[in-house]
Amino acid sequence: MKKMMWVVAMALSIGLWSCSESGEHQDYTLDNVNFIVSGPIYEGSETAQYEIVLDESLRGKVVGAKLKSARIHASDSAGLSMLGSVAFSMVGNKADMGGMAVLNPVPSGSSEADLSVSAEADPTVYFEEGRFYLVMELGINQDWDADLSVLGDFVFDLEVKK
């Protein structure tokens, strides 16, 4: 009986260990994502989006995700002078929009800036979908005749099934 209990305890331990084993962590980096707002643009809020389709190697394998960093930078010599604020969100076809990071105010005279990443932000649901949109809400502080292009760099920590 004692031997049987020991075998059962070992089997349960191994089962619990294998269930609790987390996936492998890896960085998923998106550089120079181009968010474009067509001109003419008037002072106020404008939205730009960019579609992401995960590589086949990641589809159905992401079990956790966290935004590590978000940075915007100007695509031309005008810098970020026309921006007063920036809010970064994500949205999927099946998942509602979720706020990920903000910057308010955008430092005047800057050509690049880091957004403050929300500690509560959980982009896992979007990565589980495999196809989602990055959304930039741009607070424009002046009228602008031409198209506006803002580049974004994003680093996510993904937990992927082994």
Side-chain angles (χ1 to χ4, degrees):
M1 184 69 162
K2 197 175 193 181
K3 190 175 188 178
M4 178 76 141
M5 293 295 280
W6 186 82
V7 170
V8 170
M10 285 302 292
L12 284 172
S13 295
I14 290 170
L16 288 174
W17 176 76
S18 64
C19 289
S20 66
E21 187 176 347
S22 61
E24 185 176 287
H25 285 265
Q26 66 183 52
D27 280 352
Y28 183 77
T29 303
L30 299 167
D31 286 325
N32 294 317
V33 175
N34 196 4
F35 296 94
I36 300 172
V37 178
S38 298
I41 301 164
Y42 301 102
E43 185 176 348
S45 183
E46 292 286 343
T47 303
Q49 68 182 22
Y50 189 89
E51 183 179 29
I52 299 292
V53 178
L54 287 183
D55 296 334
E56 196 66 40
S57 64
L58 288 174
R59 280 195 216 144
K61 295 181 181 173
V62 177
V63 294
K66 181 169 178 61
L67 178 62
K68 290 171 65 174
S69 66
R71 171 178 278 260
I72 58 168
H73 50 100
S75 63
D76 58 28
S77 61
L80 301 174
S81 63
M82 75 293 294
L83 298 179
S85 63
V86 177
F88 170 61
S89 301
M90 296 172 70
V91 66
N93 292 322
K94 299 175 186 170
D96 292 336
M97 186 175 291
M100 298 290 140
V102 296
L103 178 62
N104 189 6
V106 174
S108 63
S110 62
S111 61
E112 62 183 25
D114 291 320
L115 281 67
S116 296
V117 175
S118 169
E120 294 84 35
D122 185 0
T124 303
V125 66
Y126 310 111
F127 282 94
E128 288 173 343
E129 260 190 55
R131 168 177 268 160
F132 53 89
Y133 297 89
L134 306 179
V135 180
M136 280 288 186
E137 186 73 29
L138 305 169
I140 310 296
N141 61 17
Q142 63 190 32
D143 291 349
W144 195 257
D145 290 330
D147 291 352
L148 172 63
S149 175
V150 175
L151 302 175
D153 300 330
F154 308 94
V155 179
F156 295 89
D157 173 30
L158 299 185
E159 185 177 352
V160 181
K161 292 179 195 175
K162 291 184 179 181

